[in-house]
Amino acid sequence: MPGVTVIEKGTFNGVTTDFDGNFTLTVSDENAVLVFSYIGFVTQEVPASSDSIIVNLASGSDELEEIVVTGYGTQRKATITGAVAAIKGEDIIKSPAVNLTNTLSGRLPGLVVIQGSGEPGGDGATINIRGINTLGNSSPLVVIDGIPDRDGGIGRLNPQDVESISVLKDASSAIYGARAANGVILVTTKRGESGAPKLEYSFNSGWTAPTVLPEMSSSYEYANIMNELAIYNTIPVNEWGSALSGIKGAGIYNSPTEGITSLNALYSPTAVAGYLSGNDPWNYPNTDWYGETFKNYAPQQNHNLSLSGGSENVRYFTSLGYIHQDAIYENSATFYDQYSLRMNIDADVNEYIKMNTGILTRREDRNFPTVGAGAIFRMLQRGRPTENARWPSGEPGPDIENGENPVTITGQETGYRKNPKDFIQINGGINITNPWIEGLELIVNGAVDVNRETSKTWQTPWKLYAWDGVNQSSAGLSANVRSPFTDPRLTESSNSVLNTNLTGQLKYNITFGENHDFELFAGVTKEKFSGSDFFAFRRNYISPAIDQLFAGGADDQNTGGSAYERTRLGYYGSLKYNFKDTYLVEFLFRRDGSYIFPEVGRYGNFPGILAGWNISNESWFNVQDISFLKLRASYGELGSDQVFYNGQLQEYAFLSTFGFGQYPINSNVVNTLYETVLPNPEFTWEVARNTNFGLDAKLFNKLNLTLEYFSNKRDQILIQKQGSTPASSGIGSLLPPENFGSMTNAGFEFNLAYDGGDSNYSDPGAFRYTIGLNGGYSKNAIEFIDEVSGAPDWQLQEGKPLGAYLLYESDGVWYDEAEIAANTLDYSQVTNQLRPGDLKLVDYDKNGKIDGDDMVRQEDSFTPRLQYGITLDMSYKNFDLSVLFQGSQGGLTTLFNGEFGDWGNYYKYQHDNRWSIENPSRVHPRLASRGDTWYTGGGYGNNTYNYGSTDYLRLKNIELGYNLPQEFLGQGFISNFRLYASGLNLLTFTEFGMTDPEVADRTYPLQKVWNLGLRINF
Amino acid sequence: MINFKIMMTKTKIFSSLLALFIVFTACNDDFLDTQPLDKVGSNATWGDETLSEAFVFSVYSYLGYGGYEEQMLAVLTDEALFTHSGRGINTFNEGNETPQNLAWQSGTYNWATMYSAIRQANVALAQLPEATFDNQGMKDQLMGEAHFLRAYYYQQLMRFYGGVPLIDSPYTLADDLAIARSTFAQTVDFIVADLDKAATLLSGKAMDDGRASRLAAMALKARVLTYAASDLHESSKAPSGYGTDLHAYSGGQPARWQAAQQAAKAVLDVTSGYKTDLSAPVSHSEGMANAVAISMGGGSAVADAAAKSELIFTRTMSSKYTPEDNWPMGGTHFGVNNGPNGWHNWSGNPPTQQMVDDYELMDGSKFDWNNPTHKADPYANRDPRFHNHVLFDGAKWKPRPSDVIGMDPNSEYQSGKYDDGSGEYLAGLDTRQGPIENWNGSRTGYNLSKWIDPDPSLKENLTSHQLIPWPFIRYAEVVLNYVEASINLGQEAEARNWMNKTRFRVGMPAVTETGADLLNKYINERRIELAFEEHRYHDARRWLIAPGTLGRGVERIDITANVKSGKSPQVPYRYDKTTYDYTYEVQNETTVENRTWKDKMYYRPISRDEMNKNDLLVQNPGYE
């Protein structure tokens, strides 16, 4: 078997087996033990001998002996000293998710994965390692095949090309220095193995549908709500009951009060009855806007063809991928296509010189309508059920506003937006071993990444149908231009990126005495990222026939463009010490220079120290049920040159520069120059001090266990000294971001895997199962951000998590007038008159009145504190089943967007629970129309009633597979034929069912996917 | 042998790679010295005339959209009621604004924004004398503009807050930033000194529209001195608690009226506005045309371009100014922001019934709901400025949009409910019960039309731009400032004479009142002539009439048309007095605001955070 790693136990001395499975290794002494390891097989230890050894590896899953990719190298799990979580490619491809980021949640403890949107082409998740560590940018560094911060990131990698993904969570990432503060995600792609060519074809066909769609009120329910609201807003409280009877009965209420003569029902009794019966859909529709706009399922497909193999000296892996993903719109202008080609080639020039090359080309083809998903989903919720999305004769109904009728603006009638991105990424390297000195290795790598993105938005006026109100057929409809513009217009933009990376590294292994093994490693990396962009806009096209820039009108053109150049230089090294696999110590160091900082203090130093103790290797340790026990500890000082303030990377903050603006003077647009920010000559890094304690164990030979505890401190975060700068100084908005902020983050992770079933690994058909439970908990707290003094303690951000909400606390609802009459709290700063159905607020400071001081900083933010996964993998005969449940706890989000009432529909939840004259509530308040009650709009709208938990548990992933028995396949052409059915996000359990808990409302919803697939190996 | 060769190759490659490795890591000093490619260095600016001018343009940019904001200042007064709820406007009008819970504030007067603007002016004023470009004339002009703009922004602070910290140089991070408020008198003096400098520096300069001129500086001075002379700022007359030197003078009011009168007269001596030399009222139709022309300020293709002469300081509009397409939209979209929902517009700032009632009849008498003739046909025979400023039921307007015109081929504003002959009523197309975007319907039964370009070729959609300049200062204001000073100085004939200048050109009869009646006549004339131009908010306070005017609950109109017996309804509906009997009922409008008055509303609060950042600050009364 080729490619098996053979290492002398307790050393870094090792080789890999050749094409025929042969190897030669010179060991330090005759008592040496050789460790044979290969991914997916049980590692074996065999005493070394000068004669030939024949070793038979059994497939299995001995987690402890797996090889894991770590910073600039690989390590056996048994000798790892840092907090490292890893996932293998075979687990990734169980998920039918198109975007790789969405396959990671629930699989890697400590990784916080939140998918904000399900829109094809825009469905990548936000990933944070151990939650939020900074006020600035919490994104981890992604390293793909050794190249950091590779353009295009991780999301669009073809899952089929991924060999493994490792996550460095603690000081183990210190070797990446200035970009390691938020942890590092290492992606390794597949490489060829010597042997006969292996051809693999896989095909997936999926059907997607939203996980959760808001359930909205019917037209009958909506009309009733709106009739009630008119009473609340115009009629004195003591007449509400009789007003409701009047409105429901005769459709009019005559008030005895002066100044209020009569109130007419907004929706007359005839109309309300019409909505209820549904007999007259032209006049009294009951429109399901989502239903009218969406189809039941949107298709997605994925084809992948890969070829790998090689001779003894040259190995190759090539893969061709195609993905197609459609949107859920009935008449969809949105779709995503991706084409990718990867070629990884390794060549052994001779015994000592090896070369490797990786080439990736990828096209990401995004297509959208000209109206963004934000507007579409806003309009879907705003669509009132009392209006027709489509006329009963089939034509699109009127717009909701600005020409926006979702039935139409999701399609091609509005023009198009094409947004293709092309990536070419090439990396190559040479390794030379044992030049003069035994154990010395030189590695030189280079990478060039090129990306060009263009965008073309062609907006054409569109028509909608107006009804004459009389003729209930197509004949009564007329088409009118209803787009908010009448001339076609074109915007084109282009940006290109060129990133280069040049790396040189030296590695040296040496053993002193019998068991003192050292590995010395030193490297230098030089990076340059450059890019430029421009755009052009023309309008007043006389016809929608020509969608090219040259054909636009002469007036009102607009162009623009910009560029950047970003460089970094890093020196790094490590020293690893291993004593008999029992005592493990690792020093990491990096010195980084970044263009972003002023020359003085441009370089930062980032050390890390890690230590491990394999207790189970001690001779005195003799616990039968504990076959492995390791304690680990690490501390590192890591940095971040991704210094963000207010969501913006602060480049050149040490220079005094003016920004460009525009303003009309004398009816012309002139350029303006303005101060953007005062310079900060001491501008520098964020510094992370991260501590980690870990424990790895194997119990009863069945249970693998990893526990981690971490405590992170981040200093020198950019803040503005807002707290001490009055606005009257005029520099309140020009304050330079300065490195004074600090934050802490602490938590734990757990990972348990129970390996059950038949322990006969040599029988592939035996019943086997693995149950896993993993999760990560993190809680951050702001330590210093220069808060304005004077606010009450309970409102401070300091001491609370980043993004913790500042809210009034609600405490039920004023049930009736009697309850209000008994009220002693002063609400005069809130409202001139409390009325039944108003929210009750808590007088937090107990000063007898509700005022601004009663807002309370909550413990929760949108970011959950705990994310976890439960996995079950089973196999029996030719069947296998894999299940992943994934959950999240501790996030808080706003429940209602405020766009309901006269300009939008209500959730059915709001209708069903509301305080009403006939059915008063002590929990849920009277509804508002577009924020017109004090507890829905304005400052007092920020209250706990309007917020809810995002906790959820979902069936994230399930796959049932069947491998055709060998007897069907016969001898030869097809070596394996696998059929499988899989699903993504099939079930979601959550407290509030209005929207998917991961996404804000008015966003393209997350999708569930039912998938059928097959994989054929030739 | 083979082995030896391999060894050699290995060593050669190793050595060359090692050499390369050293070369590329060695010279790294320049490598990390990249330059920003999207900004300009501040030191380059002051050596270049055009760049320096561009910097001063940015001082103008704090003028924002002028008064053409989505939420106009008029909605904090008895001029208008903002249609859309949840914008923090009721927080103000219901008297619930506090330092911790600020109501909506516009960026055109907000404390922090004004001080940012003042800093930009201070940077220019500090740098321009040292600027290295040659053109002294341009330096003077830019200095003059910066002085004017600094004065303008301080004037905004003065109007909303009283005496404020006076900062006349650009602060650095090293400076002590705590500073006390100056007195009201010091603030006025500072502004006036800036304006005097501006007037001197801008003397003889021909200034483009939208830029400060000598005349603008003189006119703004007249305004500031008029404010300073007002009762609110005279300690003995100010409401209790509002007479300290942060907000008022102690004595000397007549001298201040004299100064105000002189400052206004200085402007009137060098310019004459638009059609102010008439000796008698023009006809109603001519008055209507003149009123429209004055509103359009020369910016409409269908109104007299000469009316531009009325304007003294403006915010100009450009159809090319694409940022104005952004939310919230500005003056080029005034029509969209304020037109009726039945034209797919948003009815942002509709006039209240009380505003409508204050437009006189053509004969100069007051409108009265108790007068049966008035009540039967309330919109007939009114001041032409009413027809110019306000859309009312039955008013003919621009052509309806293509999808609506079928329902109203006559394109008449519909804010009533109309008998369809079967006992049911049709809701007007421009109401909150109508079939078109009814959430954008006016709550008062009117729409504001004063600055909507009547040019029918300008469709009221989001991408057609109207180019009507915003009048920060115009001739009529200076005239009325002069009138006000004259009344307060007892020069009633002079006051009547000048008041007629804003009345004759719109067809309104001469003023004949004396004494208190004359003052009331003036107060109403100013309310009408300068309606919605950001004066009422301040005037009602200056005159100490705010409690009974701004503090009133808003009224709306309910209009019902019943088919006359023996007649058939018009299909589609159109306004027709021969077919329908129209009844008009004034109603309380309480759906979004329950207005009240509290004395603290004379001034805006300084935010709690600002108070805490500057321990020398004193809060405005009522907010402590």
Side-chain angles (χ1 to χ4, degrees), chain A residues 760-772:
Chain A
N760 180 2
Y761 287 92
S762 57
D763 173 8
F767 175 66
R768 301 197 40 73
Y769 66 91
T770 311
I771 299 171

Side-chain angles (χ1 to χ4, degrees), chain B residues 232-404:
Chain B
L232 178 63
H233 301 299
E234 172 51 51
S235 179
S236 56
K237 295 179 182 167
S240 171
Y242 292 79
T244 69
D245 64 4
L246 270 188
H247 299 107
Y249 294 87
S250 297
Q253 199 182 12
R256 291 199 299 281
W257 278 124
Q258 231 143 32
Q261 193 193 34
Q262 276 164 18
K265 193 65 171 43
V267 178
L268 303 178
D269 285 345
V270 291
T271 187
S272 56
Y274 178 66
K275 294 192 178 176
T276 55
D277 55 351
L278 304 171
S279 51
V282 299
S283 70
H284 181 274
S285 62
E286 207 179 324
M288 187 68 206
N290 289 343
V292 172
I294 292 165
S295 300
M296 294 301 110
S300 170
V302 297
D304 185 2
K308 188 178 153 183
S309 61
E310 173 80 5
L311 302 175
I312 294 178
F313 181 53
T314 63
R315 201 293 203 168
T316 62
M317 302 293 148
S318 165
S319 64
K320 298 190 178 76
Y321 189 50
T322 49
E324 296 197 336
D325 290 338
N326 296 338
W327 182 267
M329 298 194 306
T332 59
H333 293 117
F334 184 82
V336 181
N337 280 331
N338 289 284
N341 54 315
W343 271 261
H344 295 299
N345 299 155
W346 304 342
S347 304
N349 305 276
T352 64
Q353 183 60 48
Q354 289 99 329
M355 181 75 212
V356 168
D357 290 348
D358 283 349
Y359 288 88
E360 293 172 352
L361 286 115
M362 277 304 286
D363 62 5
S365 63
K366 279 182 174 301
F367 178 84
D368 184 1
W369 281 108
N370 295 321
N371 178 325
T373 320
H374 293 183
K375 182 167 175 152
D377 198 359
Y379 307 130
N381 203 27
R382 303 286 289 268
D383 185 332
R385 288 174 291 192
F386 168 67
H387 298 92
N388 168 222
H389 296 175
V390 182
L391 279 176
F392 52 88
D393 186 60
K396 177 100 178 135
W397 207 48
K398 293 193 195 194
R400 295 263 184 193
S402 58
D403 59 324
V404 189

Side-chain angles (χ1 to χ4, degrees), chain A residues 233 261 382 384 400-401 434 504 526 567 652 656 658 662-663 666 673 675 727-728 789 828 853 902 930, chain B residues 10 21 24 31 34 40 42 58 64 84-85 96 119 167 209 432 438-440 587 590 608 610 612:
Chain A
N233 285 336
T261 48
R382 278 192 55 190
R384 295 182 290 189
I400 294 166
E401 201 168 10
N434 304 343
K526 194 171 178 179
T567 52
Y652 306 107
S656 176
F658 287 163
Q662 291 190 317
Y663 196 70
N666 198 23
L673 278 179
E675 283 188 298
S728 60
S789 61
S828 65
D853 285 350
D902 58 13
R930 202 182 178 185
Chain B
K10 180 174 72 176
F21 182 107
F24 91 74
F31 180 69
T34 63
V40 60
S42 59
S58 81
H84 313 298
S85 59
N96 288 331
R119 175 188 170 79
I167 289 147
D209 292 344
R432 296 186 67 79
N438 51 25
W439 60 87
N440 283 331
Q587 303 274 303
T590 57
R608 183 180 69 187
E610 182 73 358
N612 286 325

Side-chain angles (χ1 to χ4, degrees), chain A residues 545-557:
Chain A
I546 308 171
D547 55 353
Q548 299 301 331
L549 275 175
F550 72 83
D555 291 340
D556 303 340
Q557 306 186 25

Side-chain angles (χ1 to χ4, degrees), chain A residues 50 128 183 225 242 249 261 280 300 310 429 524 526 572 586 629 662 674 715 733 752 758 809 871 884 903 917 925:
Chain A
S50 54
N128 292 306
I225 294 172
S242 33
T261 48
D280 181 359
Q300 68 176 38
V524 54
K526 194 171 178 179
Y572 45 91
E586 218 173 306
L629 179 64
Q662 291 190 317
Y674 59 93
D715 288 308
S733 61
L752 288 90
D758 197 324
E809 301 196 327
T871 56
L884 168 65
W903 85 335
I917 296 163

